Amino acid sequence: MLVLGIESSCDETGLALYSTLAGGVLLAHALHSQVRMHQDYGGVVPELASRDHIRRVVPLLRKVLADSGRSLAEIDAVAYTQGPGLAGALLVGAAFAEALATALDVPSVPVHHLEGHLLSPLLSPTPPRFPFVALLVSGGHSQLMRVTGVGEYGLMGETLDDAAGEAFDKTAKLLGLGYPGGAALAELAERGRPDLVKLPRPMLKSGDLNFSFSGLKTAVLTKVRELATISEQQRADIARGFQDAIVEVLVSKALRAVATSGLEQLVVAGGVGANRELRRQLDKRADEAGIAVFYPEFEFCTDNGAMIALTGALRLQAGNAGKPAGGAFAVRPRWPLSCA
């Protein structure tokens, strides 16, 4: 099968072609980021995001077809992100995908955005094997899942308020950093001095696998207000203290989840999974515990069409016939992964 994947849940438009031949191979992928467009507003403007997806989807389709040397007539299925995400942005990708599937008379495969992230490490040269524990740290989601197969996901723990990614972005604003804040804060933290700014580790010893990061953000706000003026080094020190707190909680809870499950593999996926300090600490602690850790390639940590094409192909191979061409369709802005 040749599967086209379309991602448009937020501020990236991604398309990719994935072939199930030779054990599965990503033939081509293309991505357009809207970061520059939203920078002036300090965050994603949903209406602007939707309109930009409309402008980008056809040129990106032409690019992946040209790069792969394939034609529209060779596509066997069209997978797209059905949710969660911004309703208008999701509708652009869903409408385009359903129209294209109808024109080609091939099935469409609605995909859960987080499932795409969860399975994205399977695109790596050394992928994990089922079953494994997954730490999903993507945008507004921080979850621990037990994954026994495609479509077989059990929730082990999740955030009770702000997710890690949200906490990064909100704290970046408190420190006067631009959009997107998470990456800017992580870069600033590299220049910070360790153990100088002490911040709480929320729910580190709660005895369960849930997270809470809202209070950590508030602790940073308190630190900032205590300073009459704040130097660049002080900002870096606070960023370092914040990042160290987030990383310690994520690492401890993830390793505890693996130990609880009795498994020996951990997958880390989503935008925060690209954080280098998280990877350093997790690799160190996991090696000591005899746990194998798998990450997606850096280019597949953020939203992309490759993970959607892969997930659509795996769904079809697992016996999901997809949605017949034509007929009604819907998007799901709110959609728990455990219900996918």
Side-chain angles (χ1 to χ4, degrees), residues 215-330:
L216 181 57
K217 171 200 66 184
T218 304
V220 171
L221 177 59
T222 301
K223 288 285 185 184
V224 171
R225 285 177 173 174
E226 288 174 352
L227 300 170
T229 58
I230 182 169
S231 67
E232 186 65 18
Q233 185 58 58
Q234 286 173 320
R235 288 202 311 155
D237 293 339
I238 293 173
R240 176 64 183 266
F242 168 82
Q243 179 174 266
D244 287 349
I246 288 263
V247 166
E248 184 176 347
V249 173
L250 290 176
V251 170
S252 296
K253 295 268 183 171
L255 295 182
R256 191 182 308 162
V258 177
T260 301
S261 71
L263 302 177
E264 298 178 346
Q265 295 181 109
L266 174 67
V267 159
V268 182
V272 181
N275 184 280
R276 296 184 185 277
E277 183 62 20
L278 174 62
R279 292 193 178 206
R280 281 194 290 265
Q281 294 300 325
L282 197 49
D283 286 343
K284 178 177 180 292
R285 292 273 305 277
D287 183 63
E288 293 169 355
I291 296 170
V293 187
F294 299 85
Y295 309 92
E297 304 299 317
F298 279 107
E299 63 182 324
F300 299 135
C301 284
T302 56
D303 298 347
N304 62 88
M307 67 183 190
I308 303 303
L310 166 71
T311 303
L314 293 177
R315 282 278 185 176
L316 291 168
Q317 288 180 314
N320 182 338
K323 181 179 173 296
F329 66 92

Side-chain angles (χ1 to χ4, degrees), residues 1-3 17 65 68-77 104 106:
M1 291 183 294
L2 182 64
V3 180
L17 278 171
L65 289 172
S68 65
R70 301 301 182 93
S71 67
L72 278 175
E74 295 178 80
I75 294 174
D76 298 303
L104 298 176
V106 300

Side-chain angles (χ1 to χ4, degrees), residues 26-234:
L26 180 63
L27 299 179
H29 69 99
L31 182 73
H32 174 77
S33 172
Q34 301 175 1
V35 166
R36 275 190 181 180
M37 183 176 68
H38 297 295
Q39 277 178 336
D40 290 342
Y41 305 95
V44 177
V45 181
E47 178 66 20
L48 294 181
S50 302
R51 293 186 181 194
D52 199 62
H53 287 308
I54 294 171
R55 287 192 291 268
R56 306 296 176 179
V57 66
V58 171
L60 289 176
L61 173 60
R62 289 174 176 154
K63 177 171 173 54
V64 296
L65 289 172
D67 290 349
S68 65
R70 301 301 182 93
S71 67
L72 278 175
E74 295 178 80
I75 294 174
D76 298 303
V78 182
Y80 64 92
T81 302
Q82 187 181 28
L86 301 176
L90 290 167
L91 276 169
V92 174
F96 183 78
E98 291 286 354
L100 184 59
T102 300
L104 298 176
D105 195 25
V106 300
S108 62
V109 187
V111 170
H112 195 293
H113 178 77
L114 293 183
E115 183 179 25
H117 277 300
L118 186 152
L119 298 177
S120 60
L122 298 177
L123 291 165
S124 300
T126 55
R129 302 178 308 279
F130 297 114
F132 53 79
V133 171
L135 172 63
L136 281 172
V137 274
S138 170
H141 302 86
S142 291
Q143 297 177 325
L144 283 162
M145 310 288 295
R146 182 188 176 101
V147 181
T148 54
V150 176
E152 300 174 12
Y153 314 124
L155 182 65
M156 301 179 73
E158 62 182 338
T159 185
L160 303 181
D161 42 56
D162 283 355
E166 289 176 309
F168 262 98
D169 288 339
K170 291 177 180 179
T171 301
K173 283 189 176 182
L174 293 176
L175 295 177
L177 303 177
Y179 169 83
L185 189 148
E187 182 180 347
L188 180 62
E190 292 288 338
R191 303 194 294 274
R193 293 168 291 186
D195 303 320
L196 194 65
V197 176
K198 300 291 186 180
L199 293 171
R201 272 58 172 163
M203 298 188 70
L204 181 63
K205 299 180 180 179
S206 62
D208 57 30
L209 297 173
N210 292 324
F211 304 99
S212 171
F213 296 115
S214 180
L216 181 57
K217 171 200 66 184
T218 304
V220 171
L221 177 59
T222 301
K223 288 285 185 184
V224 171
R225 285 177 173 174
E226 288 174 352
L227 300 170
T229 58
I230 182 169
S231 67
E232 186 65 18
Q233 185 58 58
Q234 286 173 320

